[in-house]
Structures are given as structure tokens and as C-alpha cells.
Amino acid sequence: QVQLVESGGGLVQAGGSLRLSCVASGSTFSIDIMGWYRQAPGKQRESVATITSGGSTNYRDSAKGRFTISRDNAKNTVYLQMNSLKPEDTAVYYCRETGFLRDYWGQGTQVTVSS
């Protein structure tokens, strides 16, 4: 049974930083694409950043230059380093693992940025 567990969310002031972690268990982590998504109240879930098994990354425009996604295959963990946080980054952040006929989500971690 695949399980993704996020951690690292919290309350931070604008301009601050947070580092999210997502640990995967029971999956083929090393060969799958990992991603961070977020959903703000009343809005659709959106992609924040993704990273392939080979380390290629992709970011939404608003995250470029501020967020960094990385992965440690030995620890089955994907990270999202978030710097220069803004109130509009406030959302529940979800970890996602995708592969061939595989699509798994974590339960989410709340990030709140105060102005």
C-alpha cells in the first residue's frame, strides 16, 4: 500500500521560508515523477513544482526563483524549499507521485503566510 506523508507546513510571516518534506512508502519512488501541488480556499488545485526521476524540474511561474524542488531517492523523500513567501502562497500543499498507471496523493500540509 502506497503512502505519502507530508510535513513541514506551518505559519510564517511574509518573506520567510519553509521546507516541506514528503516521504513515500510502498511505492516505486525512484522511477516516478514527484510533484508538489497546492489548493487555496475556493480555488482549484494547481501544480507548484515537479521533478522527474532523472532530476529535471519544472515550476509554475510564480514559484520560479523562490521555490526549489529536490528529491533523495535513498530516503524516498521529495522536498520543497520555499523562500520569500508571500500571502498568496497560503494553501494546503500536497505531494503527488505519478508513474505508469500510478497516481498517488498525500493528505496535505497547511502553509499559511501572514502579511
Side-chain angles (χ1 to χ4, degrees):
Q1 182 177 353
V2 175
Q3 190 173 19
L4 303 178
V5 180
E6 301 100 332
S7 61
L11 173 64
V12 64
Q13 288 188 332
S17 299
L18 284 174
R19 188 194 196 202
L20 306 183
S21 300
C22 171
V23 180
S25 60
S27 75
T28 52
F29 179 89
S30 65
I31 66 172
D32 287 345
I33 296 172
M34 300 301 300
W36 286 98
Y37 293 72
R38 67 187 182 189
Q39 187 167 19
K43 295 187 177 181
Q44 287 189 329
R45 192 171 297 187
E46 61 187 19
S47 174
V48 177
T50 59
I51 184 167
T52 68
S53 58
S56 296
T57 58
N58 194 31
Y59 298 89
R60 70 180 300 104
D61 286 346
S62 62
K64 291 178 181 177
R66 298 189 300 128
F67 294 2
T68 302
I69 189 171
S70 61
R71 65 191 295 164
D72 185 338
N73 289 341
K75 296 182 178 180
N76 281 8
T77 303
V78 62
Y79 305 96
L80 185 68
Q81 177 67 43
M82 303 187 294
N83 299 325
S84 303
L85 283 161
K86 304 175 181 180
E88 51 263 43
D89 294 317
T90 294
V92 177
Y93 282 71
Y94 298 90
C95 175
R96 184 185 188 187
E97 179 176 345
T98 56
F100 181 68
L101 299 181
R102 298 187 297 274
D103 191 358
Y104 308 115
W105 291 87
Q107 83 289 349
T109 185
Q110 176 71 46
V111 171
T112 303
V113 184
S114 63
S115 57

